[in-house]
């Protein structure tokens, strides 16, 4: 793990170079500078840095960061849980330890053939942990929403949990993703309904809120070329909004990597290869398992194949037309949505 983090630091230094990231530069699910020390300490069996990290996100109402860090810590605890066991023994009522433990429970049951039954059994404990977290924190309720989705809970039960989450934070990205995925699973062909939900959430959110990228996530509910053509205008608008959100983050930023990886996949589906190439440049060496793991058991290989194809298409278009890329014109504003366009 230490070698992996050293590689991350080296890759960040190399990312300042104008040359594109090479295959041996690429890092899968690299932590940012705040999460990395907590994971290194957890590998040594120490829970203090993880506790401090999550306490800070709770005290500062950094709900999107809190959600992502809790998810990554729980994923690490699936294989190395000693640090979490020690933490829970030392502070059994700590809301941050309870959050990671609840997320770990959901993760462990998710891939089981008996997922629905197992998650149905743990929902009361997950909800109890969420209720003890305080009046402002939506992240434990996002965990409860995931558990309910995996348990195939009825609409009334899911809506009750959803109301608890959005009452605490109406623009929390993770809660909206959980609701979007529940809607998509309940109505697999309801692409328009998923886009309606996502667009409403995005339009009501502040300009810098991550939930403004929710329509990009909803684009994944359009899995076929026919579905893409049927909603092309809305999918282009979702991509444009996410491009604007991406532009607010520095290049080679691990925090923005998941947004940019998802954006690349959607832009490729839309055959906007020039825009995809720009997002590949901005993401630098940082590859995230999502969204590539939706289509393959080898997300890194899937990313590399898409990246190679995008570069080849852009180079071919440049050689053919003498321009720097391909894709249809974007109404004279460079592929980015302007205020009021949506």
């Amino acid at each position: 793990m230490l070698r992996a983090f050293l590689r991350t630091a080296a890759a960040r230094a190399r990312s300042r170079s104008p040359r594109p990231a090479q295959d041996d530069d690429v890092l899968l699910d690299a932590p940012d500078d705040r999460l990395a020390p907590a994971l290194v300490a957890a590998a040594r069996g120490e829970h203090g840095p993880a506790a401090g990290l999550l306490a800070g996100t709770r005290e500062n109402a950094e709900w999107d960061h809190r959600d992502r860090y809790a998810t990554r810590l729980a994923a690490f605890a699936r294989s190395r849980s000693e640090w979490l066991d020690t933490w829970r023994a030392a502070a059994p009522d700590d809301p941050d330890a309870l959050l990671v433990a609840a997320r770990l429970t959901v993760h462990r049951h998710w891939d089981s053939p008996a997922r629905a039954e197992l998650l149905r059994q743990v929902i009361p404990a997950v909800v109890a942990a969420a209720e003890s977290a305080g009046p402002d924190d939506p992240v434990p309720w996002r965990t409860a929403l995931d558990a309910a989705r995996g348990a195939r809970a009825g609409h009334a039960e899911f809506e009750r949990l959803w109301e608890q989450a959005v009452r605490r934070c109406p623009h929390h990205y993770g809660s909206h993703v959980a609701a979007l995925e529940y809607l998509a699973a309940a109505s697999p062909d309801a692409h328009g309904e998923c886009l309606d939900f996502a667009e409403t959430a995005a339009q009501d959110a502040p300009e810098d809120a991550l939930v403004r990228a929710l329509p990009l996530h909803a684009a994944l509910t359009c899995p076929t070329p026919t579905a893409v053509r049927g909603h092309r205008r809305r999918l282009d608008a979702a991509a444009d909004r996410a491009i604007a959100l991406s532009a607010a983050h520095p290049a080679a930023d691990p925090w923005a990597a998941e947004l940019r990886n998802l954006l690349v996949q959607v832009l490729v589906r839309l055959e906007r290869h020039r825009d995809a190439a720009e997002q590949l440049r901005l993401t630098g060496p940082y590859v995230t398992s999502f969204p590539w793991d939706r289509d393959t058991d080898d997300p890194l290989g899937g990313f590399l194949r898409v990246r190679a194809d995008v570069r080849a298409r852009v180079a071919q278009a440049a050689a053919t037309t003498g321009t720097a890329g391909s894709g249809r014109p974007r109404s004279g504003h460079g592929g980015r949505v302007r205020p009021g366009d949506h």
Side-chain angles (χ1 to χ4, degrees):
M1 174 166 288
L2 180 58
R3 285 194 299 271
F5 293 148
L6 291 173
R7 283 190 66 211
T8 301
R12 288 178 190 169
R14 288 193 296 269
S15 71
R16 300 187 185 99
S17 168
R19 69 177 179 85
Q22 303 300 310
D23 288 0
D24 59 354
D25 293 335
V26 172
L27 296 165
L28 181 65
D29 295 329
D32 65 15
D33 292 336
R34 297 172 67 185
L35 178 61
L39 290 174
V40 170
R44 297 195 298 258
E46 302 169 7
H47 66 273
L53 174 65
L54 290 181
T57 62
R58 174 166 43 85
E59 292 164 1
N60 296 319
E62 297 177 283
W63 306 129
D64 289 330
H65 284 79
R66 179 172 176 78
D67 197 356
R68 186 177 295 184
Y69 293 153
T71 298
R72 294 292 301 277
L73 288 165
F76 183 80
R78 288 191 69 170
S79 56
R80 298 285 297 276
S81 65
E82 298 87 353
W83 61 279
L84 180 57
D85 297 336
T86 301
W87 186 7
R88 295 194 66 193
D93 297 324
D94 188 309
D96 305 313
L98 290 172
L99 170 63
V100 177
R103 190 68 58 92
L104 174 59
T105 298
V106 174
H107 284 186
R108 282 176 168 166
H109 292 330
W110 196 264
D111 296 328
S112 170
R115 176 176 69 188
E117 179 180 352
L118 291 171
L119 288 176
R120 200 172 295 119
Q121 294 172 3
V122 303
I123 283 178
V126 173
V127 171
E131 290 173 339
S132 68
D136 301 320
D137 187 357
V139 181
W141 292 99
R142 185 266 168 92
T143 305
L145 289 168
D146 285 336
R149 178 167 59 90
R152 300 174 186 168
H155 293 335
E157 181 178 2
F158 193 90
E159 287 175 5
R160 180 177 65 83
L161 300 174
W162 166 249
E163 289 172 359
Q164 294 290 336
V166 296
R167 187 170 68 194
R168 286 161 171 79
C169 180
H171 306 303
H172 177 229
Y173 181 68
S175 298
H176 283 79
V177 167
L180 176 65
E181 292 184 345
Y182 179 85
L183 179 61
S187 306
D189 296 324
H191 314 310
E193 292 180 18
C194 291
L195 287 167
D196 288 345
F197 172 77
E199 288 166 357
T200 298
Q203 289 166 1
D204 291 342
E207 287 292 327
D208 60 346
L210 188 58
V211 77
R212 288 182 65 81
L214 193 67
L216 195 72
H217 198 111
L220 299 181
T221 68
C222 299
T224 66
T226 299
V228 169
R229 287 193 298 271
H231 298 285
R232 178 66 197 234
R233 179 187 59 80
R234 301 175 76 178
L235 298 182
D236 275 321
D240 290 344
R241 182 184 281 114
I243 287 172
L245 192 60
S246 170
H249 295 273
D253 179 4
W255 174 256
E258 184 174 294
L259 167 66
R260 288 169 173 158
N261 275 245
L262 175 56
L263 185 49
V264 167
Q265 187 180 84
V266 172
L267 288 167
V268 167
R269 290 187 182 187
L270 295 172
E271 299 183 339
R272 290 172 55 176
H273 297 105
R274 182 175 55 192
D275 290 334
E278 172 62 9
Q279 294 304 313
L280 285 168
R281 184 191 69 80
L282 289 172
T283 199
Y286 298 113
V287 184
T288 55
S289 291
F290 177 82
W292 313 107
D293 57 3
R294 294 173 66 96
D295 301 320
T296 176
D297 293 332
D298 177 18
L300 182 57
F303 169 86
L304 292 174
R305 287 190 293 273
V306 168
R307 188 179 70 176
D309 181 64
V310 167
R311 289 176 176 173
R313 287 174 179 268
V314 170
Q316 181 181 22
T320 301
T321 66
T323 64
S326 64
R328 63 184 181 85
R330 301 296 302 139
S331 302
H333 57 275
R336 293 183 183 171
V337 66
R338 295 173 296 182
D341 283 358
H342 53 275

